[in-house]
Amino acid sequence: MEPASETELSEAIRGAGGPLSVRGGGTRVTWRPERGAVLSTAGLSGVRLYQPGALTLVAGAGTPLREIESVLAEKGQRLAFEPMDARALMGTGGVSTIGGVIAANVSGPRRVMAGAARDFLLGVRFVDGAGRIVKNGGRVMKNVTGYELVKLMAGSHGTLGVLTEVALKVLAVPEAEATLVFHGHDPAAARAAMAAALRSPFEVSGAAWLDAGAAGGEGETRLRIEGMAGSVAYRAGRLAGLLGSGWARVDGAESAALWREVRDVLPFAGGTGAAWRLSLRPSAAPGLLRDLAAGPAHRAMMDWGGGRIWLEIADGPSDCGADGGVAAVRGALARAGGGHATLIRAPDAIRAAVPMFQPEPPGVARLTRALRERFDPEGRLNPGLMGPAEVPA
Amino acid sequence: MDMPTPDPAVLARRPELIRRLREVLPADAVIADPAETRAYECDALTAYRCPPMAAVLPASTEEVAAALRVCHDLGVPVVPRGSGTSLAGGALPTADCVILGVARMNAVLETDYDDRFIRVETGRTNLSVTGAVEADGFFYAPDPSSQLACAIAGNIAMNSGGAHCLKYGVTTNNLLGVRMVTMAGEVLDIGGPWSDAGGLDLLGVICGSEGQLGVVTEAWLRILPKPEGARPVLMGFGSNEVAGACVRDIIEAGVLPVAIEFMDRPCIRATDDFSGAGYPDCEALLIVEVEGSDAEIDEQLAVILEIARRHEPVELRESRSAEESARIWLGRKSAFGAMGQLNDYMCLDGTIPVSELPDVLRRIGELSDRYGLKVANVFHAGDGNMHPLILFDANTPGQLELCEQMGAEILTLCVEAGGCLTGEHGVGIEKRDLMNVQYGPEDLAAQMDVKDVFDPEWLLNPAKVFPLAASEGRRRPGAGRSAA
């Protein structure tokens, strides 16, 4: 089904006899089993308003991300939350939509400074599981008129409603960028360097570490600075002075390439093992990685100064096992003080057995289940994707 | 202002309520004497007052939970209160409610500069959060102008902003997690010292829910390293249109100032008479502030001033010292005080798309002529948040009502221009009856459905946010009440 308007979408949902699988570009979420008829948002496409001088863009949820990025680039602007192109990691084709980006709250390396996708979302229109057409927010940055369903819809993966239109805050593309690079940090040393950088007044807009696959767990730490040319030169110099010797500096297109690699998790591209994405307290990251050294073989990447970890659990019956590393990962995360681990990519058999999202404590789980029941009483929208089949005892 | 009729059955349970609250809270935490409950009869929307049945001042999450359980058992509505600085009536009681104030809970629980967060009890004032970290070179960014007094609890309830929010965002963009007590007395931790929700973003809907989903007792807040410095520049222009065009051009040039403040002629005149700041005699004035090292500030200001010059300013005033910077800000910062000295005034906070400013100001001028009430305008030009100040005389009968009527027309105009009813102060009771201007019945129903999930009996601050007619079916008297 590919409704061409919000009203048609509402009718399609109302008339659905069973579960619906909501699809934007199909590039990001490949959960199994995907049940029911595919409901595509491709017909809800097009930039509806763009005011560069007000930093505002409004578009249909089915608008291709690349179309939005190109419209913005023409005016020297961009989506500052740096959403990943998931196709390399996921092994998918297709064309990512802005609705999919928002529904999955896809946020890249710059999140550490600028905020997540949901922090740039000014307004939404959506159709819920009962076919109800709802709007919330608007197109202005300061808006405290009633409840923030805008935030609730971001990251809801289509389970509360199908987004039909989004209003976004955009920002300028800065004049210059530079990245400081250090080879040979282990996770603890990397985390310390990233923390020192993020504590400084030099507005670091990216702080990541990629393992080199080396036995000693050493890898490459990257710190990004963006802004006006003079400002970047000054801040990169001050930051280098703060960090000490051994750092190389890379500018412009070369710097951008380093961050596309982080953004798109390219080191794990083409792999078939389970890929996990963790959010945790940054200072707990090295401990968690040490803890996991005793578990299934894996590769790791830290982003957000350690506040985000990507893990690729090696493929193969003896390594990945039947559980995709879920016991090891969730156990290590609990011992690291909590946060959440999301199974982003997995072989089909593991997908079928392991829930994608972090299990919720009972009180929270009751609320999220009740919200899903409110907005989707018949359980039509991506049923079973978020939340357990039954509330845990 | 319509408020629900106090429920006689609830009022009749008052003695039992007080007795049971005293069983679970220390004696000095339960305020029942009418001479003392009067202190909670209003917040900063002082035109409306109603003493509550009782007030409680718990000192811990456990005490909050115990108090809520008692009220839940007896079917007594609860109005949470931070510092009572709301301009929208968010903490206005009804005669049959209990005010639950968190002001005694103000401790700093954890500070972590490596992970860049602070955990606080939410009764702590906004400014004292920055106060706890500024010696170490950090600050907490959302800074409403009431920050000396307002509490984090209220900031979370209203999703408060402040002068810095163009660059740093508002409360919801700086909030990592909360400990919240539901009306049934369940304690939940939502979020924590990590980024983003692992599932549905409950934190995102709790922030800005005006004390209607739960009582937030603790919060994890993002703290940021202080920039090296900041400097303002003042620009006077011959018209609102030109000032608006200048703002647009600055933003399109790719500069992101930390603040862009706009004042119109009536505001400039009044504040200059009051503060002696020496503002230029002009139609519209902008104060633009940028941050960084001195050299970085110079780099940004070079771009900004070049743009300003293209608009033939009446005056451009740069700062060469901290003293000159303070002088540039002086008038703007005393704007509300200046207005207050002239007159009683009503401060609105509708938001509009930045591009609509000249048109909206013209229409406000027309309304001002029609109503015979003068208006001065202050505007956060970077994010579109307007503060029209309507001057009136509270001692003249009928003027308050006239002022409210005019205010309603201005806010309706903001919505028609593509904006919204409130950018900072929240709905409370003040804009409750205008919600239908911005939202349709399904839009409001979807929001009320969220409240149904968190507070099925509608006991938490039930008379706020939603027009009473719209929420009536959900606020059924006696619903969920157990027998006394």
Side-chain angles (χ1 to χ4, degrees), chain B residues 86-110:
Chain B
S86 170
L87 289 167
L92 175 70
T94 50
D96 59 355
C97 87
V98 169
I99 287 281
L100 191 154
V102 295
R104 285 189 178 161
M105 302 174 60
N106 59 16
V108 172
L109 301 170
E110 188 179 0

Side-chain angles (χ1 to χ4, degrees), chain A:
Chain A
M1 284 179 267
E2 195 181 293
S5 72
E6 201 171 64
T7 319
E8 273 181 42
L9 174 64
S10 171
E11 282 158 12
I13 290 175
R14 277 183 219 265
L20 296 168
S21 179
V22 186
R23 169 101 37 97
T27 67
R28 298 182 191 278
V29 179
T30 55
W31 53 291
R32 294 285 182 272
E34 219 175 71
R35 287 191 265 154
V38 171
L39 180 63
S40 165
T41 61
L44 304 165
S45 177
V47 173
R48 298 183 183 160
L49 179 137
Y50 177 33
Q51 291 183 334
L55 301 175
T56 309
L57 179 138
V58 181
T63 311
L65 179 64
R66 65 178 176 218
E67 182 181 324
I68 289 184
E69 288 175 335
S70 133
V71 162
L72 293 173
E74 257 180 77
K75 295 291 187 184
Q77 295 187 331
R78 68 185 177 187
L79 299 174
F81 54 91
E82 204 167 16
M84 76 184 285
D85 180 343
R87 292 173 292 185
L89 175 69
M90 301 300 288
T92 50
V95 175
S96 170
T97 62
I98 188 65
V101 167
I102 297 301
N105 193 30
V106 178
S107 312
R110 198 175 299 104
R111 191 248 180 280
V112 74
M113 186 193 83
R118 63 83 116 169
D119 294 309
F120 289 86
L121 188 60
L122 304 175
V124 293
R125 294 186 64 94
F126 64 95
V127 181
D128 76 2
R132 193 167 56 164
I133 298 176
V134 178
K135 69 172 186 289
N136 192 264
R139 58 177 171 103
V140 290
M141 289 174 221
K142 301 284 287 299
N143 191 339
V144 293
T145 318
Y147 291 5
E148 277 271 18
L149 302 189
V150 169
K151 302 292 188 281
L152 189 61
M153 289 306 290
S156 63
H157 284 80
T159 60
L160 299 180
V162 180
L163 291 168
T164 57
E165 185 181 277
V166 294
L168 295 163
K169 173 182 172 181
V170 300
L171 287 178
V173 177
E175 197 180 19
E177 76 170 86
T179 299
L180 298 180
V181 182
F182 189 101
H183 299 276
H185 277 151
D186 69 10
R191 210 277 324 170
M194 293 190 291
L198 290 166
R199 288 176 65 149
S200 79
F202 308 128
E203 288 189 18
V204 168
S205 72
W209 173 86
L210 294 77
D211 78 14
E218 292 183 345
E220 180 176 299
T221 308
R222 301 175 181 175
L223 298 166
R224 177 174 56 185
I225 305 249
E226 296 175 287
M228 299 175 82
S231 172
V232 169
Y234 166 76
R235 283 146 60 214
R238 288 291 310 272
L239 186 59
L242 183 75
L243 294 168
S245 60
W247 291 79
R249 177 175 154 176
V250 159
D251 289 80
E254 219 185 315
S255 165
L258 292 179
W259 291 98
R260 268 195 306 278
E261 191 182 16
V262 176
R263 184 195 76 181
D264 296 345
V265 199
L266 292 183
F268 300 173
T272 49
W276 289 90
R277 190 189 68 199
L278 281 61
S279 264
L280 74 167
R281 190 168 170 165
S283 57
L288 179 138
L289 292 174
R290 249 191 327 272
D291 192 346
L292 277 177
H298 61 277
R299 296 193 57 196
M301 205 168 91
M302 289 193 286
D303 196 358
W304 303 349
R308 165 174 273 185
I309 295 178
W310 287 94
L311 292 169
E312 187 184 33
I313 308 294
D315 201 7
S318 59
D319 291 322
C320 202
D323 76 348
V326 63
V329 170
R330 296 210 186 282
L333 186 61
R335 286 187 294 277
H340 46 93
T342 310
L343 183 58
I344 295 292
R345 181 190 78 196
D348 282 2
I350 289 166
R351 254 306 169 222
V354 177
M356 180 170 169
F357 294 91
Q358 180 75 26
E360 294 167 330
V364 173
R366 269 197 298 282
L367 289 172
T368 57
R369 186 168 91 140
L371 285 170
R372 276 189 294 276
E373 283 172 2
R374 266 301 168 134
F375 284 91
D376 185 21
E378 304 298 318
R380 290 186 179 125
L381 302 178
N382 290 345
L385 174 58
M386 298 182 88
E390 273 147 21
V391 176

Side-chain angles (χ1 to χ4, degrees), chain B residues 29-50:
Chain B
V30 181
I31 298 163
D33 183 342
E36 293 177 65
T37 56
R38 251 198 92 194
Y40 299 94
E41 69 179 358
C42 69
D43 52 28
L45 186 66
T46 54
Y48 300 99
R49 301 163 189 251
C50 177

Side-chain angles (χ1 to χ4, degrees), chain B residues 9-172:
Chain B
V10 172
L11 293 170
R13 291 198 276 272
R14 187 177 182 279
E16 186 185 356
L17 169 76
I18 306 296
R19 180 180 61 76
R20 288 185 57 180
L21 287 172
R22 289 200 169 126
E23 279 170 8
V24 299
L25 296 174
D28 70 349
V30 181
I31 298 163
D33 183 342
E36 293 177 65
T37 56
R38 251 198 92 194
Y40 299 94
E41 69 179 358
C42 69
D43 52 28
L45 186 66
T46 54
Y48 300 99
R49 301 163 189 251
C50 177
M53 211 162 42
V56 294
L57 299 176
S60 68
T61 300
E62 293 66 38
E63 287 184 5
V64 170
L68 287 174
R69 263 179 240 125
V70 167
C71 294
H72 184 253
D73 273 357
L74 295 175
V76 177
V78 171
V79 174
R81 178 182 169 111
S83 300
T85 58
S86 170
L87 289 167
L92 175 70
T94 50
D96 59 355
C97 87
V98 169
I99 287 281
L100 191 154
V102 295
R104 285 189 178 161
M105 302 174 60
N106 59 16
V108 172
L109 301 170
E110 188 179 0
T111 311
D112 190 321
Y113 297 120
D114 263 4
D115 293 339
R116 291 161 296 118
F117 73 87
I118 187 171
R119 189 159 72 98
V120 298
E121 291 182 327
T122 56
R124 191 172 186 84
T125 66
N126 175 288
L127 189 60
S128 69
V129 174
T130 290
V133 298
E134 64 186 341
D136 295 309
F138 279 76
F139 74 109
Y140 173 61
D143 56 345
S145 47
S146 55
Q147 62 176 161
L148 188 65
C150 65
I152 292 296
N155 290 170
I156 292 170
M158 293 310 196
N159 191 15
S160 304
H164 276 99
C165 58
L166 175 61
K167 185 172 174 190
Y168 295 111
V170 295
T171 299
T172 194

Side-chain angles (χ1 to χ4, degrees), chain B residues 207-226:
Chain B
C207 189
S209 61
E210 305 205 15
Q212 291 196 318
L213 300 184
V215 177
V216 174
T217 56
E218 296 178 11
W220 285 266
L221 305 171
R222 169 68 69 219
I223 50 174
L224 301 171
K226 277 198 290 202

